[in-house]
Amino acid sequence: MGRRTLLRGLTLAVAAVLPLYGPTAVHAAQSAATTTATAVAVCGHTSEQPTLQRGSTGDPTVEAQCELDLATKPSRYTPIAADGSFGPATETRVKEFQACAGLSVDGVLGPQTWAALNTWAAQPRTCATQGTSATAQATVCGHTDTRPTLREGANGVEVKELQCRLNLAMEPFHYPPLTIDGDFGGGTEGRVVELQHCAGLSADGVVGPNTWAKLVDWSSRHAYCTPPRPAGYPVDGLDTAKYQHPGGAPIDWKAVRASGVEFATVKATRGLNVTDEYLATDLPAARAAGLAVAPYHFYTGSAPDTGGAQADRFIAAVRATGYTGQRAGDLPPVFDLERMDDGTGRCPTYGTVADAKAWLDKVEAAFGRTPIIYTQKSFLDDCLGSTTAFARYPMQLADYRQSITQPPLPNGSTTWGLWQYTDAALFPGIKAPATADVFNGTQADLDRLANRTTGLTTGLTTGLTTAASVAPAATTCYGGAVTVRYGDVVDFGPYWTTSRCNDINMRVTGGTADYVNACVKFAKTGTCNRWTKVGRSWTTIATDVLDGTKFTVPNGVPLEGDDAVMQIAF
């Protein structure tokens, strides 16, 4: 869709070659420093790179100052003036950069520092020690102070100033730095449009007074545009895999949670033979930090009829982490159904609806949760004949376009659950960009989906722990299970179904109770629709129930025994 690839597998493959951070970044800098520096004019002033120290002047000093600003941008260091005078401020910034890059800290810009600086300025990284960007600096690129109206076709020193400031004003991990060549071509125009979108300006690609004002403000403070999140969806999440661990760097899940992230999907397995090496640590750590978590599986159709076998590997891998689908904080498992992740964008060679259903059915039986499907309408249209076979499943949809207010729905689906809106979000605690999501609902809705409904003594559970304990449901639409104790008031719902079922069925599946007296309560009216005595076999408790119905076990439910596990199919 558009000019960006929107599918998770390819996105992660791209993320694997993004700039490095942490210990690996230091090692890369040290390796670069031991080789002959490739002289590059990252800021467009000069490719001459002589040894510089306090008192140096001229174009090489301007180039160094500009590159220092670019290299330390993600670490929020206040910009220094690119004025061609190597004074105390420049010497201090050289020392800060040298410490960041793991070099000898002497404040002298020699061959080793130049080599690292060239690399970091072209591909900015984060330093272990963060600065503060509290003070604006008027001269950060050093080309010119004139700011005429510019558009495609312009050239000259003013365009160099524009390109340099765009590099400073755009988040580097989503917007690769422009080549500062003084030629206002299509790439520069596209970057101007992206800045204008971020700044809420008219996105015409023309750099007039308003665009210059925003550009100068952001570039002078190391404030920069990041991919905007969709409006109207307050609950944030992200997706992770090994690519969010550059050089083996761990994820600080407490920092992720402190930033406001509420949920995470963590890669578990791929195909028949890959288990993500960080599954065992990331899934439990994210849940322990307070996030709602879901493991996901990347489906590969590289051989016929492997869906069931892929499900077996997934089930074993996530159970080994303690995931049951029933604990407080457990979201349903996620099935990643998309194009091949080999960079070709092709449909899975042997991918079929039946094979995907084999995975979905086996995982649903194992965890008692209806899996979420990660996909796109365009994929289902192009690769699976616009099938409606997945209409009953909750959807996690990928679409990175900034021009839409929600992702397009696959045929047959009536709503979506998660929207992956970018592949280049930056989160505290993660040393590489990650894909980001919003949840289509309130925090209370997410808590219900993650088994965190308030009022339960033992917490909400959604399903049984083994496939053997799941009897055939009375309908094809499966809801889940909830542990009920005497005196509880428990809302389990509303369910965000994507297909209408003719009736709602309930049964007692566990505990010591032989039956419960239960009712169906519609959220809109707040009254019980029907009281029903429910035993160990499926009983219809309501018919023709709409999406969003809320089922309630009211206070004082008479139980014959101490507790009961209730299962609902809808």
Side-chain angles (χ1 to χ4, degrees):
M1 290 186 179
R3 62 185 179 81
R4 298 190 184 98
T5 301
L6 305 185
L7 300 175
R8 191 201 314 253
L10 185 55
T11 292
L12 295 182
V14 172
V17 297
L18 285 169
L20 303 175
Y21 299 73
T24 298
V26 173
H27 176 72
Q30 291 170 334
S31 297
T34 62
T35 62
T36 302
T38 301
V40 292
V42 177
C43 286
H45 290 283
T46 177
S47 59
E48 296 179 11
Q49 298 186 342
T51 296
L52 301 175
Q53 55 196 339
R54 191 188 288 207
S56 297
T57 60
D59 285 346
T61 299
V62 179
E63 178 71 22
Q65 290 166 326
C66 178
E67 290 194 29
L68 284 165
D69 281 339
L70 283 168
T72 57
K73 175 176 74 165
S75 302
R76 302 293 184 180
Y77 283 90
T78 298
I80 58 173
D83 58 8
S85 177
F86 197 129
T90 302
E91 183 180 55
T92 298
R93 185 53 46 81
V94 170
K95 290 180 177 179
E96 289 168 331
F97 172 73
Q98 289 169 330
C100 185
L103 304 172
S104 175
V105 178
D106 59 7
V108 176
L109 243 171
Q112 293 182 345
T113 302
W114 269 118
L117 185 59
N118 292 163
T119 301
W120 285 50
Q123 293 184 321
R125 307 168 185 186
T126 54
C127 299
T129 302
Q130 296 287 295
T132 58
S133 187
T135 305
Q137 177 59 255
T139 304
V140 292
C141 288
H143 289 284
T144 179
D145 292 331
T146 60
R147 295 163 191 163
T149 296
L150 299 173
R151 54 174 46 87
E152 188 169 7
N155 54 64
V157 70
E158 293 87 0
V159 176
K160 283 190 174 184
E161 182 73 15
L162 167 68
Q163 293 166 328
C164 177
R165 285 190 178 266
L166 283 168
N167 286 346
L168 285 166
M170 306 299 286
E171 175 268 307
F173 313 115
H174 188 75
Y175 306 100
L178 295 168
T179 299
I180 301 174
D181 58 7
D183 181 11
F184 195 133
T188 299
E189 183 185 46
R191 187 59 47 81
V192 170
V193 169
E194 289 170 322
L195 171 79
Q196 290 169 330
H197 274 302
C198 278
L201 302 172
S202 177
D204 57 7
V206 177
V207 185
N210 291 335
T211 301
W212 268 118
K214 182 58 69 174
L215 181 59
V216 169
D217 175 44
W218 284 1
S219 61
S220 67
R221 294 184 292 114
H222 280 350
Y224 46 73
C225 168
T226 57
R229 66 180 305 284
Y233 307 102
V235 182
D236 289 299
L238 79 164
D239 313 288
T240 68
K242 67 180 181 181
Y243 308 104
Q244 280 66 55
H245 295 269
I251 292 176
D252 183 347
W253 285 103
K254 291 182 180 179
V256 173
R257 180 67 187 89
S259 72
V261 174
E262 299 289 349
F263 64 92
T265 68
V266 176
K267 187 173 184 179
T269 50
R270 177 193 181 278
L272 290 166
N273 56 9
V274 175
T275 298
D276 193 275
E277 55 259 49
Y278 294 97
L279 168 67
T281 52
D282 278 351
L283 197 70
R287 180 173 175 270
L291 282 79
V293 296
Y296 76 84
H297 171 78
F298 185 91
Y299 168 79
T300 59
S302 55
D305 303 323
T306 62
Q310 291 187 48
D312 290 337
R313 183 178 186 86
F314 172 81
I315 292 166
V318 300
R319 279 183 173 160
T321 71
Y323 175 86
T324 66
Q326 303 181 32
R327 305 168 304 172
D330 282 353
L331 292 169
V334 178
F335 183 53
D336 188 340
L337 183 60
E338 57 175 288
R339 298 177 190 272
M340 295 176 67
D341 60 348
D342 59 0
T344 65
R346 293 179 297 152
C347 299
T349 305
Y350 297 97
T352 64
V353 171
D355 201 40
K357 283 283 291 176
W359 190 98
L360 293 163
D361 291 344
K362 184 167 281 193
V363 171
E364 183 169 353
F367 297 110
R369 304 293 305 271
T370 303
I372 297 170
I373 297 178
Y374 170 97
T375 193
Q376 283 181 298
K377 173 177 167 53
S378 62
F379 168 79
L380 297 179
D381 290 346
D382 295 345
C383 299
L384 294 178
S386 300
T387 180
T388 60
F390 305 122
R392 81 174 182 92
Y393 294 92
M395 289 285 168
Q396 180 183 10
L397 299 174
D399 198 311
Y400 303 163
R401 292 177 295 171
Q402 299 175 17
S403 59
I404 60 175
T405 57
Q406 62 178 351
L409 292 170
N411 286 0
S413 296
T414 59
T415 190
W416 53 272
L418 312 176
W419 175 8
Q420 186 187 93
Y421 65 90
T422 181
D423 64 347
L426 298 178
F427 294 96
I430 302 181
K431 302 296 186 181
T435 51
D437 304 88
V438 289
F439 177 70
N440 189 14
T442 65
Q443 181 63 48
D445 295 331
L446 179 68
D447 287 342
R448 279 187 285 269
L449 188 64
N451 305 329
R452 296 193 298 213
T453 302
T454 303
L456 282 173
T457 301
T458 58
L460 188 68
T461 61
T462 52
L464 305 176
T465 56
T466 63
S469 62
V470 180
T475 74
T476 59
C477 299
Y478 173 72
V482 61
T483 299
V484 181
R485 297 189 182 279
Y486 184 84
D488 283 346
V489 181
V490 180
D491 287 342
F492 39 114
Y495 291 107
W496 32 298
T497 61
T498 54
S499 61
R500 180 69 54 77
C501 295
N502 291 329
D503 51 14
I504 304 297
N505 298 274
M506 181 182 286
R507 66 177 178 178
V508 176
T509 60
T512 58
D514 291 326
Y515 73 90
V516 299
N517 287 324
C519 76
V520 173
K521 173 182 175 182
F522 290 93
K524 289 185 178 180
T525 63
T527 60
C528 281
N529 181 37
R530 177 182 175 184
W531 284 91
T532 305
K533 183 175 180 178
V534 179
R536 295 271 173 168
S537 60
W538 286 107
T539 302
T540 299
I541 58 174
T543 59
D544 193 26
V545 177
L546 301 175
D547 291 351
T549 296
K550 186 175 289 187
F551 306 93
T552 300
V553 179
N555 190 35
V557 172
L559 301 176
E560 297 221 343
D562 294 329
D563 56 28
V565 176
M566 301 302 302
Q567 191 175 51
I568 297 173
F570 66 98

